[in-house]
Every structure is written in structure tokens, then in C-alpha cells.
Amino acid sequence: MDNDQYGTGRAGRYDDIIHLPHHVSAVHPQMPLEERAAQFSPFAALTGFGDALRETARVTDEFVRPDEDNRTSLDGKLCMLKEHIKERPEVTVTYFKPDARKAGGAYETMTGNLKKIDTYGRRLVMADGTEIPVEYIVRIEVTVHTMANHSAD
């Protein structure tokens, strides 16, 4: 009995061709290495599954409504800001921004000049066009010198 190259006692099925030179086609160009490697990359059988997993793993905060005292303080602050709206006071507003894709959201803080208070739409409109719903505001600080003593927490 013939031995293969490993000495297992078996002759290999391809011993007659294993040492022949690699064939290169004269008609078809060789595939670049990057494309050859792509043939062996993992196959995404469930398109979008990875995105769904990442979305599920993304953490959001729950909105906590301000208590009655804080709400009263915020309402007073909004009334005072409405009286001084022509001055375009600089304010820092902390508010809850609901997530568009899942329950919850994130707390954001923005500093800018207040352009108007839309009482009908119940939102603050900042000079840069940002609109903040009043119902989601949890804190307002006024940084304009004329109103520095009127801060609401």
C-alpha cells in the first residue's frame, strides 16, 4: 500500500496533480484580492437584524414630570420671559426630547436667545429656529444681566 505525504498508509486521490503549476486564464482577468476576500465575508441572512439589535440595545431615559412647585416656578419664569421677549434674553433650557423610534428619550440642555413664546403651540422658539415644547421643560436659567436674579430650577 502506498503512503501519502503524511505517512497515513493511504495514497492521496490528488497526488498526481497536487504539484502542477496553478492555471491562469489567458481569457479572463484575475479577480483582485479584495474582491476574492469579499466572497468569504459573513453573509447577512437577516438584512437589518444587526441594526435592530443595536436599536434595541440603545438606552433611553424616561420623562419625569416636574413636581408642582417646580411647575409653578417654571410658569412664573415663562411669564417673566414673555414680558422681556423684545430683549431676546439669553436662556439655558433643560428639556426632555422624546425618541422618534422607541419609548423614552433624552434630556438635552440648550443655551441661546429666546425669539418668542408660542402660547398657542405651547413652545419656546429660539433665535436659531429650535422649538422646545413647554410640557417637556424641566429647568430654565436666564443669563441676561437684566434678569439675572430670576432663575427657576
Side-chain angles (χ1 to χ4, degrees), residues 8-65:
T8 62
R10 304 178 269 168
R13 288 176 36 185
Y14 302 107
D15 284 347
D16 59 333
I17 63 169
I18 195 74
H19 298 291
L20 292 177
H22 176 71
H23 171 72
V24 178
S25 173
V27 179
H28 301 290
Q30 280 191 308
M31 182 182 287
L33 261 156
E34 295 83 27
E35 290 180 30
R36 288 186 60 173
Q39 290 180 342
F40 302 103
S41 64
F43 174 67
L46 300 173
T47 305
F49 185 66
D51 292 337
L53 283 177
R54 281 186 290 283
E55 179 62 24
T56 301
R58 190 170 55 85
V59 177
T60 57
D61 293 321
E62 186 176 324
F63 177 57
V64 178
R65 295 204 178 277

Side-chain angles (χ1 to χ4, degrees), residues 5 16 20 37 39 41 43 61 78 81 83 96 100 111-112 121 123 125-126 129 131 147 151:
Q5 67 182 18
D16 59 333
L20 292 177
Q39 290 180 342
S41 64
F43 174 67
D61 293 321
L78 289 170
L81 285 170
E83 292 173 10
F96 182 78
T111 300
R123 62 184 175 228
V125 180
M126 306 301 283
E131 296 182 0
M147 300 185 304
S151 118

Side-chain angles (χ1 to χ4, degrees), residues 92-153:
T92 299
V93 181
T94 301
Y95 62 100
F96 182 78
K97 185 174 183 178
D99 194 287
R101 293 186 221 136
K102 63 194 281 187
Y107 285 92
E108 296 187 2
T109 300
M110 177 190 189
T111 300
N113 292 90
L114 183 62
K115 181 177 178 181
K116 74 176 188 174
I117 298 174
D118 179 358
T119 51
Y120 181 74
R122 300 214 19 91
R123 62 184 175 228
L124 301 183
V125 180
M126 306 301 283
D128 69 357
T130 302
E131 296 182 0
I132 304 170
V134 171
E135 66 184 297
Y136 290 125
I137 296 174
V138 294
R139 181 182 173 110
I140 300 174
E141 294 177 36
V142 180
T143 54
V144 144
H145 63 76
T146 58
M147 300 185 304
N149 297 328
H150 299 85
S151 118
D153 291 339

